Amino acid sequence: MKYKTKKLTPKQFAINNHQKYDSSITDCLLKQNGLNRNTFAKLDLKVAQAKIAAHELEEKYSKYLTDEHIEKIKAFNRKVSNLKKCHLLKPNVAYPILNLASKIKRQAYKAELLIRQKIQAQRYSQP
């Protein structure tokens, strides 16, 4: 017996292509934020937020991090990257990283504010 394979209608074909396109964009976005698409669905919301914050700290705010902070971030990343145990992580694992992220971002904002004030003072002091 030969079974005929069903051909997709043009609308089904367009939907299928659109889904593939959306999936590739989503995977790229997750990768840019430091998340793994295979474990993202299993992670708790706070743990996922902390993973994004840790990635952002490493990428954008590395000059404000001390060695102790870097070790905390690396230890957290090791816990989250374990594929078999990542879904068992509780939100209390994420709180130190989220607190560290807000602390570092506050420091960066204050430093940027000081720089802006110095630039503005130099502009007004010139004749």
Side-chain angles (χ1 to χ4, degrees):
M1 290 179 139
K2 291 186 178 179
Y3 293 103
K4 292 183 179 180
T5 57
K6 288 186 177 181
K7 292 185 179 181
L8 296 177
T9 64
K11 191 151 191 133
Q12 290 172 330
F13 184 76
I15 290 171
N16 195 14
N17 280 346
H18 196 65
Q19 285 178 341
K20 287 179 185 177
Y21 176 74
D22 287 345
S23 295
S24 66
I25 288 176
T26 304
D27 293 345
C28 184
L29 179 70
L30 290 173
K31 190 174 183 180
Q32 286 174 353
N33 287 318
L35 295 169
N36 185 352
R37 70 180 182 103
N38 297 327
T39 60
F40 178 68
K42 297 178 185 177
L43 288 178
D44 184 66
L45 177 63
K46 290 291 181 187
V47 176
Q49 288 175 341
K51 178 69 174 147
I52 291 170
H55 181 73
E56 187 179 15
L57 287 176
E58 289 176 335
E59 294 292 317
K60 296 181 181 175
Y61 301 104
S62 60
K63 64 182 178 183
Y64 297 104
L65 296 174
T66 63
D67 292 336
E68 182 182 321
H69 296 151
I70 293 171
E71 285 301 317
K72 274 186 183 178
I73 292 171
K74 284 183 180 179
F76 175 75
N77 283 337
R78 279 193 299 270
K79 288 179 185 176
V80 174
S81 64
N82 188 348
L83 297 175
K84 293 181 180 176
K85 295 184 180 179
C86 69
H87 67 282
L88 299 175
L89 294 175
K90 304 281 187 215
N92 60 358
V93 174
Y95 294 137
I97 300 298
L98 293 171
N99 291 338
L100 177 65
S102 60
K103 177 183 171 184
I104 297 296
K105 287 179 184 178
R106 209 175 302 120
Q107 286 177 358
Y109 175 75
K110 287 179 182 178
E112 183 182 340
L113 196 62
L114 281 173
I115 291 171
R116 285 184 184 175
Q117 288 174 349
K118 287 180 184 177
I119 291 171
Q120 211 165 26
Q122 287 177 352
R123 282 184 186 161
Y124 289 123
S125 66
Q126 292 178 352

